[in-house]
């Protein structure tokens, strides 16, 4: 595997891969900014370059990882919320749990008004 193989697209070879997100450490831009960070740190150690290149690459990588983690968290919360709402609807429709929905709505409205 040559270093230029890192920049070849894998989604064209397998259509299934287009729908599955790759982890951020396999992204071409993260690899490129990692190389830029290493080059900036190496240049800084030998007093050839300013630390701006290393800072730029490092902040880009940190931003990608923070965005990836936040996106995963939001997906998890949405799926959990959807399953919770579906479970509550199923329990209500089966008749396992009965609730006075008018009283519940008044409690929720009063709590939101207090905020």
């Amino acid at each position: 595997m040559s270093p230029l193989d890192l920049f070849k697209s894998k989604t064209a070879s397998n259509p299934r891969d287009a729908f599955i997100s790759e982890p951020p450490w396999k992204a071409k831009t993260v690899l490129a900014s990692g190389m830029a960070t290493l080059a900036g740190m190496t240049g800084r150690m030998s007093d050839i370059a300013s630390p701006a290149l290393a800072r730029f690459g490092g902040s880009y990588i940190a931003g990608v990882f923070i965005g990836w983690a936040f996106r995963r968290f939001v997906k998890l919360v949405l799926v959990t919320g959807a399953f919770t709402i579906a479970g509550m609807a199923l329990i209500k429709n089966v008749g396992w749990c009965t609730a006075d929905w008018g009283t519940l709505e008044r409690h929720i409205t009063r709590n939101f008004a207090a905020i």
Side-chain angles (χ1 to χ4, degrees):
M1 178 177 188
S2 72
L4 295 177
D5 288 340
L6 294 173
F7 297 103
K8 289 184 181 175
S9 177
K10 295 177 184 174
T11 58
S13 62
N14 190 358
R16 182 177 175 267
D17 292 338
F19 296 107
I20 300 172
S21 62
E22 289 187 351
W25 52 87
K26 290 186 178 181
K28 295 173 190 172
T29 56
V30 172
L31 293 174
S33 63
M35 287 186 238
T37 303
L38 288 175
M41 289 184 342
T42 304
R44 181 64 181 154
M45 282 190 264
S46 59
D47 289 332
I48 296 174
S50 71
L53 186 62
R55 263 192 249 137
F56 174 75
S59 64
Y60 179 80
I61 291 172
V64 167
F65 278 100
I66 290 170
W68 176 74
F70 182 71
R71 187 173 53 240
R72 300 280 298 221
F73 173 74
V74 168
K75 285 181 184 180
L76 177 69
V77 168
L78 288 175
V79 168
T80 304
F83 278 124
T84 302
I85 291 171
M88 289 172 50
L90 178 69
I91 289 172
K92 179 187 174 286
N93 287 337
V94 170
W96 290 345
C97 178
T98 57
D100 184 11
W101 295 103
T103 305
L104 186 61
E105 183 180 353
R106 281 193 299 276
H107 283 293
I108 292 172
T109 305
R110 188 177 61 216
N111 288 338
F112 276 126
I115 295 177

